[in-house]
Amino acid sequence: MSELDRALTACAENVEEYLDRLLPKSEMPEARVIDAMRYATLGGGKRIRPFLLVQCAGLFSVSESRSYRAAAALEMVHCYSLVHDDLPAMDDDDMRRGRPTVHKEFDDATAILAGDALLTKSFEVLADPDTHGNASVRANLCLVLAQAAGDHGMVGGQMLDLVAEQSQLDIPEITRLQRMKTGALIAVACDMGAIMGQASNAARQALHHYAHDIGLAFQIADDLLDVEGDAEEVGKRTGKDEAAGKATFVSLLGVERARDQAHLLAEQAAAHLEMFEEKGEHLKQLANFIVTRRK
Ligand code: GRG
């Protein structure tokens, strides 16, 4: 196991523990929605966004007890997006993270409610003084996450994706769509870490550039997995883009050029971290992991 693998595994275990604590089981009559929230968040996922947040916060010596709360909050937003994306009205998927999707395990209405409750729970956690002692830092965390998750970010990108089913996008249009749909949440992970660490403008800017590049590299890697990946290994249905006739980086550039582009972005991303010296090592390694991952 590489040093990065060990760090990712330790992060995933911590995220699991914080999510478990922040989403306690209940005996109340509404327990079903909590069960669905736990099902959606626990026991799976690479936890890349939490890893980014905790690593970036670590550059500024933020305590892990705080950064993992924010990381769990961010993962809740990511999981909500997956639950809603899998619904019959959207991608209509039966399998996610190697097991039945939330609406298959529960039902559509419960999946909608679980997604809604995860989104709001995330902001409840961020606004709690346990997440940061400084109220303006907490407000800023809520602001940037709302901007990244909403109509200017992930939701807007998802809308563009649905609209694009009626048209063939070109590379600049796909880049904008993906920056919103996938890139915004990846970028905000780094920004939240910087905000928690009350980083200098220069440091925040460097992380912003890093996040920008890995966000796009992540999406190209996701497109490649959709074409080349094995559903069992990836943990979800593959070949979806081609079946839907969707233009992607891979369909427009071809496999080889898309892969080269992803690797170039990963190298470029790592180069933005020079100012952090060896403290940025895990983040540099993550850029490479993102483009070589098999799931
Ligand atoms: C429904 C509001 C709403 C948004 C949906 C993010 C998203 C927008 C949909 C997910 C569908 C998808 C395949 C997006 C492409 C990249 C992506 C976000 C993949 C899943 O993220 P990973 O690989 O998943 O980090 P794990 O399971 O490891 O957490």
Side-chain angles (χ1 to χ4, degrees):
M1 205 188 235
S2 72
E3 206 201 311
L4 179 70
D5 286 336
R6 270 196 292 278
L8 280 165
T9 304
C11 172
E13 284 169 4
N14 284 328
V15 172
E16 189 82 7
E17 191 187 312
Y18 275 74
L19 285 169
D20 183 42
R21 228 187 289 158
L22 291 166
L23 300 169
K25 282 197 187 122
S26 166
E27 297 299 325
M28 301 298 282
E30 67 275 22
R32 183 173 169 82
V33 76
I34 297 164
D35 290 344
M37 291 161 81
R38 290 175 60 84
Y39 182 85
T41 52
L42 297 174
K46 297 178 289 297
R47 314 298 198 190
I48 284 176
R49 295 156 194 79
F51 185 78
L52 283 168
L53 192 157
V54 171
Q55 287 293 323
C56 290
L59 295 172
F60 313 103
S61 306
V62 175
S63 77
E64 289 200 343
S65 61
R66 286 183 165 169
S67 60
Y68 272 109
R69 281 180 61 90
L74 176 61
E75 185 70 4
M76 287 179 200
V77 175
H78 168 58
C79 294
Y80 123 74
S81 81
L82 300 180
V83 173
H84 281 193
D85 187 64
D86 290 334
L87 284 165
M90 296 226 195
D91 252 16
D92 194 10
D93 270 309
D94 295 352
M95 198 166 92
R96 165 76 63 188
R97 294 178 167 171
R99 56 190 184 157
T101 45
V102 176
H103 67 277
K104 283 279 155 193
E105 184 71 15
F106 293 81
D107 54 73
D108 292 5
T110 305
I112 292 169
L113 289 176
D116 293 342
L118 283 171
L119 177 61
T120 41
K121 176 65 77 179
S122 169
F123 290 95
E124 183 187 324
V125 172
L126 291 180
D128 189 307
D130 282 352
T131 301
H132 203 285
N134 182 323
S136 83
V137 166
R138 297 199 301 275
N140 217 358
L141 291 174
C142 291
L143 176 69
V144 294
L145 182 57
Q147 287 169 335
D151 53 323
H152 296 299
M154 183 177 70
V155 168
Q158 179 77 348
M159 190 74 248
L160 284 175
D161 207 7
L162 294 175
V163 171
E165 282 172 11
Q166 318 306 327
S167 62
Q168 284 291 306
L169 301 187
D170 59 18
I171 289 280
E173 288 168 331
I174 293 179
T175 305
R176 176 164 184 266
L177 183 161
Q178 298 301 356
R179 281 210 193 292
M180 291 168 73
K181 182 178 149 180
T182 316
L185 222 55
I186 289 179
V188 85
C190 298
D191 205 25
M192 288 169 78
I195 289 169
M196 293 190 89
Q198 296 171 284
S200 68
N201 281 342
R204 198 169 162 186
Q205 206 51 32
L207 291 177
H208 177 79
H209 291 312
Y210 164 82
H212 191 269
D213 290 340
I214 59 162
L216 208 49
F218 180 93
Q219 186 57 50
I220 298 176
D222 206 69
D223 290 350
L224 284 164
L225 282 175
D226 191 63
V227 172
E228 302 182 317
D230 169 67
E232 208 161 308
E233 200 180 352
V234 180
K236 61 182 180 185
R237 185 160 58 98
T238 53
K240 288 194 296 188
D241 296 335
E242 201 187 339
K246 215 189 242 184
T248 67
F249 289 112
V250 176
S251 74
L252 291 176
L253 297 175
V255 168
E256 286 318 314
R257 275 182 67 203
R259 199 189 317 283
D260 289 349
Q261 186 63 32
H263 281 276
L264 193 69
L265 283 163
E267 276 171 37
Q268 207 172 281
H272 289 303
L273 300 175
E274 285 315 316
M275 69 183 289
F276 303 112
E277 299 174 347
E278 71 277 7
K279 274 184 131 184
E281 203 43 49
H282 280 157
L283 289 169
K284 285 187 188 167
Q285 289 168 8
L286 186 79
N288 182 53
F289 167 83
I290 276 176
V291 295
T292 51
R293 67 200 169 94
R294 302 295 311 151
K295 65 176 189 171

